[in-house]
Amino acid sequence: MNSLIKKWIPWMMLMAVVAACNRSQDVTPQKQLNEYDAKVVLKWGELFLELDRYAPGYRPPVAARAFAYIGLAAYETVVSGTKEYQSLAPYYAGISIPKAEAGKAYHWPTAVNASYLSMMLKFFPHVSTDQKAKINQLGESLFKEFQAETDAETFARSRALGESVASVMFEYSKTDKNGHEAYLNPHPMDYVPPTGVGKWQPTKPDFTRALLPYWGRTRTFAITVEDKVAKPPIEYSSQITSQFFAQALEVCSFPDNYENRWIGEFWSDDIFEQTFEPAARWIAIANQVMIQEKAHLETAVYTYAKLGMGLSDAGVACWNSKYLYNVERPISYINRSINPKWITLLDNTVRKMKGITPPFPAYPSGHSTFGAVAAEILSNIFGYKYEMTDKSHEFRVEFIGKPRSFHNFNEMAYENAISRILLGVHYRMDCDEGLRMGYNVGRKVNAMKWKPVN
């Protein structure tokens, strides 16, 4: 009997080793977030830009807020897959964000895709049937690809995590009564702009009602009430020796040459259905940077969350101050005090209108605020001397979209601000204060506790 046992022991040991080897082949090691590429995030970012272009009511502050919640949901979905960053849940009282189960395997691109698919459908329920189909098609095509990269149990667990976090974040969005679904009523009929000398009123040629006059009440992510208040503008005066007159004179004195047109049209993004709006422009820029850097999933998710929250807070701060001071647009002042025939260089090629002005007060400039917050955040992530060529509108023919090259993000933000003066829709003070406010918001977002304390 002993000899029989001795005979079988080697065989039993060999079978155990083979079985162990087979098991090791069946189990996929848990990969960290930075071991995946950023494709899933970039694909959704590209689709967001298209939806943003055509979604009714998705003008700058609304789009920035949507991108913030969508990006934050993706970040919270996968933050446990990284050792570099931590959840921001402590900043948002009253919500419990689902977490990945300890010791369980997750396929992080699947979780990110599930979060984006769910959130995009929730934030864009009013887009065309074709646009909704594109949302579903992208989500399902990525799911099909990811199913081949992991086992069925891990895939299902990862998808469920993304969907559950998205559901919680969307419910949190709902508690912001002013911001949630504001796209349904962007020009409220109950708002009557204050009258008085130098106060904003709807401008020619279309005299559109005020856009989002109550947006300053929208919930913010990182800034305080004080951060929403711009410094007082230059005191209004029609005297030709006044600072205000000098600001208006500068606007209507710039020559209408190719270089000025190029800068103005390159940064415009004002026209609904022609391009994405000016907040999303910085998403397009971020996409180009991440492609250029071959960024991994960890960096992409972090960048989108941080940039979205910054753009959203910048929109709230800027719009709060616009309707606090109600400074009239240059077109109104110049036509009354300098040149009654002067018009802006901003044309609506979709509606075939010339000389338009955005439908809200001038001070401070939205473009400038968005540009500065984005520059501060992107510089914090990719470096303060990051050089790039912006190809956001390459090959467009309705306007001058020829790429422009820059030495850093701050240079981009400054030119973006100056473009508004060149088009004739802002005073210099609007742009200067917008830049100041935007940089302040950016610093507040950067200072949030994104990384665990060692």
Coordinates of all heavy atoms in Angstrom, one line a residue, residues 202-251:
P202 N -31.4 94.5 -24.5 CA -31.1 93.7 -25.7 C -30.6 94.5 -26.9 O -31.0 95.6 -27.0 CB -32.5 93.1 -26.0 CG -33.2 93.0 -24.6 CD -32.7 94.2 -23.9
T203 N -29.7 93.9 -27.6 CA -29.0 94.6 -28.7 C -29.5 94.2 -30.1 O -29.9 93.1 -30.3 CB -27.5 94.4 -28.5 OG1 -27.2 93.0 -28.5 CG2 -27.0 95.1 -27.3
K204 N -29.2 95.1 -31.0 CA -29.5 94.9 -32.4 C -28.5 93.9 -33.0 O -27.4 93.7 -32.4 CB -29.5 96.2 -33.2 CG -28.2 96.9 -33.3 CD -28.3 98.1 -34.1 CE -26.9 98.8 -34.4 NZ -27.0 100.0 -35.2
P205 N -28.8 93.2 -34.0 CA -30.0 93.3 -34.9 C -31.2 92.4 -34.5 O -32.3 92.6 -34.9 CB -29.5 92.8 -36.2 CG -28.5 91.8 -35.9 CD -27.8 92.3 -34.6
D206 N -31.0 91.5 -33.5 CA -32.1 90.5 -33.2 C -32.8 90.8 -31.9 O -33.9 90.3 -31.6 CB -31.6 89.1 -33.2 CG -30.3 89.0 -32.3 OD1 -29.7 90.0 -32.0 OD2 -30.0 87.8 -32.0
F207 N -32.1 91.6 -31.0 CA -32.7 92.0 -29.7 C -33.2 90.8 -28.9 O -34.3 90.8 -28.4 CB -33.9 93.0 -30.0 CG -33.5 94.3 -30.6 CD1 -33.6 94.5 -32.0 CD2 -32.9 95.3 -29.9 CE1 -33.2 95.6 -32.6 CE2 -32.4 96.5 -30.5 CZ -32.6 96.7 -31.8
T208 N -32.4 89.8 -28.8 CA -32.7 88.6 -28.1 C -32.8 88.9 -26.6 O -32.0 89.7 -26.0 CB -31.6 87.5 -28.3 OG1 -31.6 87.2 -29.7 CG2 -31.9 86.2 -27.6
R209 N -33.7 88.2 -25.9 CA -33.9 88.4 -24.5 C -32.6 87.9 -23.7 O -31.9 87.1 -24.2 CB -35.1 87.7 -24.0 CG -36.4 88.2 -24.5 CD -37.6 87.4 -23.9 NE -37.6 87.6 -22.5 CZ -38.2 88.7 -21.9 NH1 -38.8 89.6 -22.6 NH2 -38.2 88.7 -20.5
A210 N -32.5 88.4 -22.5 CA -31.4 88.0 -21.6 C -31.2 86.5 -21.5 O -32.1 85.8 -21.2 CB -31.5 88.6 -20.3
L211 N -29.9 86.1 -21.6 CA -29.6 84.7 -21.5 C -29.2 84.4 -20.0 O -28.3 85.0 -19.5 CB -28.4 84.3 -22.4 CG -27.9 82.9 -22.3 CD1 -28.9 81.9 -22.9 CD2 -26.5 82.8 -23.0
L212 N -29.9 83.4 -19.4 CA -29.6 82.9 -18.1 C -29.4 84.0 -17.0 O -28.3 84.0 -16.4 CB -28.4 82.0 -18.2 CG -28.5 80.8 -19.1 CD1 -27.1 80.2 -19.3 CD2 -29.5 79.8 -18.6
P213 N -30.3 84.9 -16.8 CA -30.1 86.0 -15.9 C -30.0 85.6 -14.4 O -29.5 86.3 -13.6 CB -31.3 86.9 -16.1 CG -32.4 85.9 -16.6 CD -31.6 85.0 -17.5
Y214 N -30.5 84.3 -14.1 CA -30.4 83.9 -12.7 C -29.3 82.9 -12.5 O -29.3 82.2 -11.4 CB -31.8 83.2 -12.4 CG -33.0 84.1 -12.7 CD1 -34.0 83.6 -13.5 CD2 -33.1 85.4 -12.1 CE1 -35.1 84.4 -13.8 CE2 -34.2 86.2 -12.4 CZ -35.2 85.7 -13.3 OH -36.3 86.5 -13.5
W215 N -28.4 82.7 -13.4 CA -27.4 81.7 -13.3 C -26.4 81.9 -12.1 O -25.9 80.9 -11.6 CB -26.5 81.6 -14.6 CG -25.7 80.4 -14.7 CD1 -24.4 80.2 -14.5 CD2 -26.2 79.1 -15.0 NE1 -24.0 78.9 -14.7 CE2 -25.1 78.2 -14.9 CE3 -27.5 78.5 -15.3 CZ2 -25.3 76.8 -15.2 CZ3 -27.6 77.2 -15.5 CH2 -26.5 76.3 -15.5
G216 N -26.3 83.1 -11.6 CA -25.5 83.3 -10.5 C -25.9 82.6 -9.2 O -25.1 82.4 -8.3
R217 N -27.1 82.0 -9.2 CA -27.6 81.3 -8.1 C -27.3 79.8 -8.1 O -27.5 79.0 -7.2 CB -29.2 81.4 -8.0 CG -29.7 82.8 -7.9 CD -31.2 82.9 -8.1 NE -31.7 84.2 -8.2 CZ -33.0 84.5 -8.5 NH1 -33.9 83.5 -8.6 NH2 -33.4 85.8 -8.6
T218 N -26.7 79.4 -9.2 CA -26.3 78.0 -9.4 C -25.3 77.5 -8.5 O -24.3 78.3 -8.1 CB -25.9 77.8 -10.9 OG1 -26.9 78.1 -11.8 CG2 -25.5 76.3 -11.2
R219 N -25.4 76.3 -8.0 CA -24.4 75.7 -7.1 C -23.0 75.6 -7.7 O -22.9 75.3 -8.8 CB -24.9 74.3 -6.6 CG -24.0 73.7 -5.6 CD -24.6 72.5 -5.0 NE -24.9 71.4 -6.0 CZ -25.9 70.6 -5.9 NH1 -26.7 70.6 -4.9 NH2 -26.1 69.7 -6.9
T220 N -22.0 75.9 -6.8 CA -20.6 75.9 -7.3 C -19.9 74.7 -6.7 O -20.4 74.0 -5.7 CB -19.9 77.2 -6.9 OG1 -20.0 77.4 -5.5 CG2 -20.5 78.3 -7.7
F221 N -18.7 74.4 -7.2 CA -18.0 73.2 -6.7 C -16.8 73.7 -5.7 O -16.6 73.0 -4.8 CB -17.4 72.5 -7.9 CG -18.4 71.8 -8.7 CD1 -18.8 72.4 -9.9 CD2 -18.8 70.5 -8.4 CE1 -19.8 71.8 -10.7 CE2 -19.8 69.9 -9.2 CZ -20.2 70.5 -10.3
A222 N -16.2 74.8 -6.0 CA -15.0 75.1 -5.2 C -14.9 76.5 -4.7 O -14.2 76.8 -3.8 CB -13.7 74.9 -6.1
I223 N -15.7 77.4 -5.3 CA -15.6 78.9 -5.0 C -16.6 79.3 -3.9 O -17.6 78.6 -3.7 CB -15.7 79.8 -6.2 CG1 -17.1 79.6 -6.9 CG2 -14.6 79.4 -7.2 CD1 -17.3 80.6 -8.0
T224 N -16.4 80.4 -3.3 CA -17.2 81.0 -2.3 C -18.2 82.0 -2.9 O -18.0 82.4 -4.1 CB -16.4 81.6 -1.2 OG1 -15.7 82.8 -1.7 CG2 -15.4 80.7 -0.6
V225 N -19.1 82.6 -2.1 CA -20.0 83.6 -2.6 C -19.1 84.9 -3.0 O -19.5 85.5 -4.0 CB -21.0 84.0 -1.5 CG1 -21.8 85.2 -1.9 CG2 -21.9 82.8 -1.2
E226 N -18.1 85.2 -2.2 CA -17.3 86.3 -2.5 C -16.6 86.2 -3.9 O -16.4 87.2 -4.6 CB -16.2 86.5 -1.4 CG -16.8 87.0 -0.1 CD -17.5 85.9 0.7 OE1 -17.2 84.7 0.4 OE2 -18.3 86.2 1.6
D227 N -16.2 85.0 -4.3 CA -15.6 84.7 -5.5 C -16.5 85.0 -6.7 O -16.0 85.1 -7.9 CB -15.0 83.3 -5.6 CG -14.0 83.0 -4.6 OD1 -13.1 83.9 -4.3 OD2 -14.0 81.9 -4.0
K228 N -17.8 85.1 -6.5 CA -18.7 85.3 -7.6 C -18.9 86.8 -7.9 O -19.7 87.1 -8.8 CB -20.1 84.7 -7.2 CG -20.1 83.2 -7.0 CD -21.5 82.6 -7.1 CE -22.4 83.1 -6.0 NZ -23.7 82.5 -6.0
V229 N -18.3 87.6 -7.1 CA -18.5 89.1 -7.3 C -17.3 89.7 -7.9 O -16.2 89.8 -7.3 CB -18.8 89.8 -6.0 CG1 -19.1 91.3 -6.2 CG2 -20.1 89.1 -5.3
A230 N -17.4 90.3 -9.1 CA -16.4 91.0 -9.8 C -16.1 92.3 -9.1 O -16.9 92.9 -8.4 CB -16.7 91.2 -11.3
K231 N -14.9 92.8 -9.4 CA -14.6 94.2 -8.9 C -15.5 95.1 -9.7 O -15.9 94.9 -10.8 CB -13.1 94.5 -9.2 CG -12.2 93.7 -8.4 CD -10.7 94.0 -8.7 CE -9.7 93.2 -7.9 NZ -8.3 93.6 -8.2
P232 N -15.9 96.3 -9.1 CA -16.8 97.2 -9.8 C -16.1 97.7 -11.1 O -14.9 97.9 -11.2 CB -16.9 98.4 -8.8 CG -16.7 97.8 -7.5 CD -15.6 96.7 -7.7
P233 N -16.9 97.8 -12.1 CA -16.4 98.3 -13.4 C -16.1 99.8 -13.4 O -16.4 100.5 -12.4 CB -17.6 98.0 -14.4 CG -18.8 98.1 -13.5 CD -18.4 97.6 -12.2
I234 N -15.4 100.2 -14.4 CA -15.1 101.7 -14.5 C -16.5 102.4 -14.5 O -17.5 102.0 -15.1 CB -14.4 102.0 -15.9 CG1 -13.0 101.3 -15.8 CG2 -14.3 103.5 -16.1 CD1 -12.3 101.4 -17.1
E235 N -16.5 103.5 -13.8 CA -17.7 104.3 -13.7 C -18.2 104.8 -15.1 O -17.4 105.3 -15.9 CB -17.5 105.5 -12.8 CG -18.8 106.3 -12.5 CD -18.5 107.5 -11.5 OE1 -17.4 107.6 -11.1 OE2 -19.5 108.2 -11.2
Y236 N -19.5 104.6 -15.3 CA -20.1 105.0 -16.6 C -20.0 106.5 -16.8 O -20.2 107.3 -15.9 CB -21.5 104.6 -16.7 CG -22.2 105.1 -18.0 CD1 -22.0 104.4 -19.2 CD2 -22.8 106.3 -18.0 CE1 -22.6 104.9 -20.4 CE2 -23.4 106.8 -19.2 CZ -23.3 106.1 -20.3 OH -23.8 106.6 -21.5
S237 N -19.6 106.9 -18.0 CA -19.6 108.4 -18.4 C -19.6 108.5 -19.9 O -19.0 107.7 -20.6 CB -18.4 109.0 -17.8 OG -18.3 110.4 -18.3
S238 N -20.3 109.5 -20.4 CA -20.3 109.8 -21.8 C -19.4 110.9 -22.2 O -19.3 111.3 -23.3 CB -21.7 110.2 -22.2 OG -22.2 111.3 -21.5
Q239 N -18.6 111.4 -21.2 CA -17.7 112.5 -21.4 C -16.5 111.9 -22.2 O -16.0 110.9 -21.9 CB -17.2 113.1 -20.1 CG -18.2 113.7 -19.2 CD -18.8 115.0 -19.9 OE1 -18.0 115.8 -20.5 NE2 -20.1 115.1 -19.9
I240 N -16.1 112.7 -23.2 CA -15.0 112.2 -24.1 C -13.7 112.1 -23.4 O -12.7 111.5 -23.9 CB -14.9 113.1 -25.4 CG1 -14.5 114.5 -25.0 CG2 -16.2 113.1 -26.2 CD1 -14.2 115.4 -26.2
T241 N -13.6 112.7 -22.2 CA -12.3 112.7 -21.5 C -12.3 111.5 -20.4 O -11.4 111.4 -19.7 CB -12.1 114.0 -20.8 OG1 -13.2 114.3 -19.9 CG2 -11.8 115.1 -21.8
S242 N -13.4 110.8 -20.4 CA -13.6 109.8 -19.3 C -12.9 108.5 -19.7 O -12.6 108.2 -20.9 CB -15.1 109.5 -19.1 OG -15.7 108.9 -20.2
Q243 N -12.6 107.6 -18.7 CA -12.1 106.3 -18.9 C -13.0 105.4 -19.7 O -12.6 104.6 -20.6 CB -11.7 105.6 -17.6 CG -10.5 106.1 -16.9 CD -10.2 105.3 -15.7 OE1 -10.8 105.4 -14.7 NE2 -9.1 104.5 -15.8
F244 N -14.3 105.6 -19.4 CA -15.3 104.7 -20.1 C -15.3 105.0 -21.6 O -15.4 104.1 -22.4 CB -16.7 104.9 -19.5 CG -17.6 103.8 -19.7 CD1 -17.9 102.9 -18.6 CD2 -18.2 103.6 -20.9 CE1 -18.8 101.8 -18.8 CE2 -19.1 102.5 -21.1 CZ -19.4 101.6 -20.1
F245 N -15.3 106.3 -21.9 CA -15.3 106.7 -23.3 C -14.1 106.2 -24.0 O -14.1 105.6 -25.2 CB -15.3 108.2 -23.4 CG -15.5 108.7 -24.8 CD1 -16.8 109.0 -25.3 CD2 -14.4 108.9 -25.7 CE1 -17.0 109.5 -26.7 CE2 -14.6 109.3 -27.0 CZ -15.9 109.6 -27.5
A246 N -12.9 106.2 -23.3 CA -11.7 105.7 -23.9 C -11.8 104.2 -24.2 O -11.3 103.7 -25.2 CB -10.5 106.0 -23.0
Q247 N -12.4 103.5 -23.3 CA -12.6 102.0 -23.5 C -13.5 101.8 -24.7 O -13.2 100.9 -25.5 CB -13.3 101.4 -22.2 CG -12.5 101.5 -21.0 CD -11.8 100.1 -20.7 OE1 -12.4 99.1 -20.8 NE2 -10.6 100.2 -20.2
A248 N -14.6 102.5 -24.9 CA -15.4 102.3 -26.0 C -14.7 102.7 -27.3 O -14.9 102.1 -28.4 CB -16.7 103.1 -25.8
L249 N -14.0 103.8 -27.3 CA -13.3 104.3 -28.5 C -12.3 103.3 -28.9 O -12.1 103.1 -30.2 CB -12.6 105.6 -28.1 CG -11.9 106.3 -29.3 CD1 -12.9 106.7 -30.4 CD2 -11.2 107.6 -28.8
E250 N -11.6 102.6 -28.0 CA -10.7 101.6 -28.4 C -11.4 100.5 -29.2 O -10.9 100.0 -30.2 CB -10.0 101.0 -27.2 CG -9.0 99.8 -27.5 CD -8.5 99.1 -26.3 OE1 -9.2 99.0 -25.3 OE2 -7.4 98.6 -26.4
V251 N -12.6 100.1 -28.8 CA -13.3 99.0 -29.4 C -13.6 99.3 -30.9 O -13.4 98.5 -31.7 CB -14.6 98.7 -28.6 CG1 -15.5 97.7 -29.4 CG2 -14.3 98.2 -27.2

